[in-house]
Amino acid sequence: MTPTDRTHRTVDVLVVGAGPAGLAVAARLAAAGVDRVEVLDREQRAGGIPRHCDHTGFGLRDLRRVMTGPDYARHHIAAAIRAGAVLRTGVTATGWAAPRTVDVTGPTGLERITATAVVLATGARERPRSARLVPGTRPAGVFTTGQLQQAVHVHHQSVGRRAVIVGAERVSYSAVATLRRAGAEVAAMVTDQPRHQTHPARHLGTRLRHGVPLVTGATVAELTGRVRLESVRLRHRDGRTAAIGCDTVVFTGDWIPDHELARSAGIALDPGTRGPATDAEFRTGEPGVFAVGNLLHPVETADIAALDGRFAAAPVLRHLTGVPWTPGPLPVRVEAPLLWISPNRLTPDGPRPPHGRFTLRTERFLTRPVLTVSQDGRTLHRGRLPHTAAPNRPFHLPADWIAGADAHGGPVRITAD
Amino acid sequence: MTVTTTGDLPDEVYDVAIIGAGVVGTAIARELARYRLRIALVEASDDVGNGTSKANTAILHTGFDATPGTLEARLVREGYQRLTAYAAETGIPLEPLGALLVAWDGEQLAALPSLAEKAVRNGYHETAVLGTEAVYAREPHLGPGALGALEVPGESVICPWTTTLAYATQAVRAGVALHLNCPAGAITTGVDHHEIATPRGVLRTRHLVNAAGLYSDEINRRLGHEEFTVTPRRGQLIVFDKFARGLVDHILLPVPTALGKGVLVAPTVYGNVLLGPTAEDLDDKTATGSSAGGLASLREKGARILPELLEEEVTAVYAGLRAATEHGDFQIRADPGRRYVAVGGIRSTGLTASMAIAAHVAQLLVDCGLDPGPEREIESVRMPTIGEAFPRPYQRADLIAADPAYGTVVCHCERVTRGEIRDALTATVPPASLDGLRRRTRALAGRCQGFFCGAAVRAQFEAATAAQDRTEARR
């Protein structure tokens, strides 16, 4: 054997990532009679992020019932296998050898897999402390929620005794629960926003039950401590700073798609989501390559990712029958304070996005904003949102205006005021 | 093979003791290991290369811009040749990318010919002055306004961690005793040996080498010498994501001016892009934190040199302290009366110069009365491939076929396998911490900084550490 020998294989559909989105699309395709549907995951176990989310609340939108993250992961794994998809874990897609041809590494060796359709379902991750450019020393005790959850729920490792949580969105409250489970005290939650960004009941419960104070309008100015974290210094909006003594800090939220495989294929990314630019049919700019789940919208709940997978099955099937690859020609762009929109390419006479709506994010609270859709100065839609748009939470824009867009015109722009 | 981390030091009198297991101390230990000597290498922290050696710009310098005639100029020039050859032999990641000193204004442009002349006086003849077009042809993503550049083809990027580790590994395998967690305290110099107090007992040695880096002035004073004072000069650096690597293909050095040396942009051997360093004189030798002001100033300078760089994700931020002194040159001084050699004031060129410094120090020890005896062949070492210039284990069918652990990727961002982590944990000089493991394998050093693999890497580390503890307890 030479150092670079690879086994070559061909499959019908190769799904990269065995989280809710990847498993759901694989299950649908296999159930629809596609012969060889193969799902790869680089982790030792399939299931994606829900594997280590040891709390309830999963499955409401796709399964119409509620279960824990690990149970939800098991459900989707079983469904995909039952439908006839092949699940392979501990196998890493390392790059592209040709269009729709992926090189992989696993314990059994190197392979090169060519597929008629490749579905990228590689998910998202939280930006670590370094990417947020938080200054200070580099002590132990600095986590993201993902790392914290795996340490506590999967590996039963000890974490610190007293923690500060950076962020006050949905995942931040999961971090509180995980820390409490590990026996750590939560000294404070910190957000740069004027208030938390989760359901009021969840916030109140956390505050009352665990007595966790919420510090609003503050950013992390510095971490201190040589070997282990000693304090988190905060800067308040008015410029004054204060230090909170703690041995653990969890940076939550601030999601970025795990877009490495997409980007290394040269697939165009959307400037807002940083995931592949896709249309309502989950098509990327690269023929035969689809993208689903939180790779497209960092981050939505697991059931929304799974629904993506379900919706994507039909366009993948159409591709397998030889329908030409014509992804949506029009880019959809947002302007500040909006951060991103998904999907972000469209075909005026094509299908509507799932549920007939787009998903957006804002960088600050907007009280019942008016959303305006325009193209080349022409207004296609204008409507007031019936509620406040909060950062780190989805809100939606109906898609019934897309037929009025000019397929040969400039980008479609979404503004909020 | 002796590496100790706890317990009493052996009751013996060493021929040579070296204080400080940084890149210079380990290089000296390796050099002396070629003779039948009893050598101790003592280090205050829990790992080799844990000070200045672990946090620098990771560049192998030709020495083209050194001050001609200085000791530093000679040792950098010699060290460059020696380390280049050693890297090829041992597998230390090294990429000869070449440097461009980009001139952004008239003053800098005017300085280029004199820099080329200075290079010649330093024995380096390969430089060329490039015009604007040639500069942009080589680096199309460079920001607007570059007027020209001096090309220095020999400048290279290297892995500083593997370098130190290779020296230490080879030294230990050849019989050097490495004592970690062993800070040097009071030193008493007797007629035929020194006694160095440490928390782990007294270290006795006939000859003493001070390679204590930031603390070399303090050790020096304990021997009655006052020649230099170390002022820690902090350098903050930003490491950008591997996707930034396509933006730059040379080491982009600033043109040194009256205002100082400035900030560079350089690829790393791991496929990232480095921006830095700042230069801040401090009085705290432990102040290795980054600051908001430092990072902001780096981003501002980086935006001019390579605007698209700022669009890329940041993978890591770190700060290192270089051992600056009030002198312009290395402070390498022998005191034959006390059988003592001080190796102070080794600044950012210390990595490049390390092997030449070691040879120089060995000669000074002979001048101090050390009889090294005959030279002997020592076993060569082969270091793990953690650079991107050669296939890594996850890309090697032959390795995976022999051992599937090399096909099991644990750290996804850096594609570090279970087999590599296992090997590092059982190596001659094993890591004492996850940080040490990161420097040996790249595990945890990638863009997710542990989001995906942090807990799994820690689990493997703790399992191996627990197994070692059990083995030691049985003994």
Side-chain angles (χ1 to χ4, degrees), chain B residues 134-472:
Chain B
V135 174
Y136 284 100
R138 282 167 179 72
E139 291 292 349
H141 298 277
L142 212 56
L147 302 176
L150 183 72
E151 184 176 44
V152 190
E155 294 281 295
S156 306
V157 294
I158 190 169
C159 173
W161 306 318
T162 310
T163 305
T164 307
L165 198 63
Y167 295 155
T169 301
Q170 201 176 15
V172 168
R173 287 188 190 163
V176 170
L178 170 62
H179 301 302
L180 300 166
N181 296 318
C182 195
I187 300 172
T188 318
T189 301
V191 181
D192 60 22
H193 70 268
H194 305 269
E195 296 202 343
I196 304 157
T198 82
R200 298 175 53 195
V202 177
L203 177 77
R204 294 181 187 81
T205 180
R206 294 199 172 81
H207 291 80
L208 180 60
V209 177
N210 166 11
L214 291 167
Y215 300 91
S216 55
D217 56 341
E218 292 168 33
I219 302 285
N220 206 37
R221 281 195 197 97
R222 288 179 214 162
L223 274 296
H225 289 277
E226 304 270 340
E227 295 95 344
F228 59 89
T229 300
V230 173
T231 305
R233 181 168 297 159
R234 181 165 64 185
Q236 302 182 40
L237 295 116
I238 300 175
V239 182
F240 286 87
D241 191 277
K242 288 172 192 282
F243 277 112
R245 179 63 180 81
L247 297 175
V248 56
D249 217 28
H250 293 78
I251 303 161
L252 303 179
L253 293 174
V255 177
T257 62
L259 291 171
K261 283 201 127 181
V263 165
L264 63 83
V265 171
T268 74
V269 289
Y270 325 108
N272 300 81
V273 175
L274 201 62
L275 169 66
T278 57
E280 310 152 63
D281 283 340
L282 307 174
D283 46 21
D284 180 357
K285 290 178 177 176
T286 63
T288 52
S290 55
S291 67
L295 299 180
S297 95
L298 288 181
R299 288 176 64 81
E300 188 189 314
K301 294 189 169 96
R304 173 155 193 205
I305 302 168
L306 206 62
E308 290 161 79
L309 184 62
L310 280 290
E311 302 293 311
E312 296 294 340
E313 292 285 317
V314 169
T315 298
V317 170
Y318 66 92
L321 300 172
R322 29 228 210 265
T325 69
E326 64 275 45
H327 305 286
D329 202 354
F330 286 169
Q331 295 299 300
I332 304 180
R333 295 159 183 269
D335 176 353
R338 288 192 178 81
R339 303 171 310 282
Y340 167 70
V341 178
V343 190
I346 311 298
R347 298 165 303 184
S348 59
T349 49
L351 169 60
T352 304
S354 52
M355 295 186 86
I357 292 172
H360 181 60
V361 168
Q363 184 55 49
L364 292 176
L365 284 168
V366 172
D367 298 345
C368 291
L370 177 74
D371 175 12
E375 201 178 315
R376 57 176 181 151
E377 216 30 60
I378 58 172
E379 190 196 334
S380 62
V381 292
R382 192 73 203 165
M383 303 306 288
T385 306
I386 63 168
E388 295 293 319
F390 297 96
R392 302 262 310 279
Y394 81 89
Q395 295 165 308
R396 293 198 35 199
D398 56 337
L399 274 188
I400 299 168
D403 182 351
Y406 293 116
T408 304
V409 177
V410 177
C411 165
H412 305 301
C413 303
E414 293 292 320
R415 293 170 183 168
V416 185
T417 62
R418 180 166 295 279
E420 292 168 272
I421 295 173
R422 173 202 63 205
D423 294 350
L425 292 169
T426 53
T428 304
V429 183
S433 64
L434 286 170
D435 254 2
L437 181 65
R438 175 172 58 81
R439 293 196 292 272
R440 285 161 173 81
T441 61
R442 300 288 298 156
L444 302 172
R447 49 174 71 98
C448 92
Q449 295 279 301
F451 178 96
F452 291 112
C453 72
V457 172
R458 180 178 158 193
Q460 199 181 347
F461 174 78
E462 287 177 353
T465 314
Q468 274 155 18
D469 287 350
R470 279 196 301 276
T471 313
E472 269 164 37

Side-chain angles (χ1 to χ4, degrees), chain A residues 44-197:
Chain A
Q44 297 305 310
R45 286 170 189 277
I49 298 289
R51 278 177 311 134
H52 48 77
C53 294
D54 203 8
H55 56 80
T56 190
F58 286 83
L60 186 63
R61 294 179 191 84
D62 66 327
L63 306 177
R64 302 287 171 199
R65 57 195 170 111
V66 174
M67 56 181 92
T68 68
D71 284 343
Y72 183 73
R74 278 188 284 272
H75 172 93
H76 277 288
I77 293 165
I81 292 173
R82 210 166 41 235
V86 175
L87 250 63
R88 300 177 64 209
T89 58
V91 177
T92 306
T94 60
W96 303 80
R100 292 175 287 101
T101 301
V102 174
D103 280 350
V104 309
T105 291
T108 55
L110 307 184
E111 291 173 57
R112 180 161 291 172
I113 306 171
T114 300
T116 311
V118 175
V119 183
L120 301 177
T122 51
R125 60 184 168 84
E126 293 162 298
R127 280 198 179 77
R129 174 258 176 113
S130 52
R132 305 179 190 214
L133 289 176
V134 173
T137 55
R138 300 174 78 197
V142 181
F143 292 87
T144 45
T145 316
Q147 182 176 0
L148 176 78
Q149 287 178 337
Q150 294 196 56
V152 173
H153 298 309
V154 180
H155 292 280
H156 310 292
Q157 291 164 351
S158 63
V159 291
R161 292 168 171 278
R162 187 176 151 87
V164 166
I165 293 185
V166 182
E169 61 188 273
R170 198 185 168 96
V171 66
S172 323
Y173 289 82
S174 295
V176 173
T178 300
L179 285 165
R180 298 296 306 186
R181 177 84 66 85
E185 170 199 1
V186 179
M189 291 182 93
V190 181
T191 175
D192 57 356
Q193 297 292 332
R195 49 192 189 274
H196 70 81
Q197 308 111 52

Side-chain angles (χ1 to χ4, degrees), chain A residues 315-336:
Chain A
V316 174
L317 287 170
R318 279 198 292 278
H319 172 72
L320 295 179
T321 63
V323 171
W325 192 262
T326 51
L330 281 182
V332 186
R333 301 249 188 274
V334 293
E335 286 175 18

Side-chain angles (χ1 to χ4, degrees), chain A residues 192-229:
Chain A
D192 57 356
Q193 297 292 332
R195 49 192 189 274
H196 70 81
Q197 308 111 52
T198 190
H199 298 290
R202 182 119 198 248
H203 170 69
L204 197 66
T206 300
R207 190 147 195 181
L208 293 180
R209 229 169 0 158
H210 304 309
V212 176
L214 174 65
V215 183
T216 57
T219 53
V220 180
E222 187 185 11
L223 303 187
T224 74
R226 297 251 157 266
V227 179
R228 182 81 193 190
L229 182 71

Side-chain angles (χ1 to χ4, degrees), chain B residues 95-115:
Chain B
E95 288 183 48
L97 297 172
L100 298 176
L101 279 81
V102 182
W104 297 96
D105 60 35
E107 186 202 354
Q108 292 177 2
L109 188 66
L112 298 183
S114 64
L115 280 165

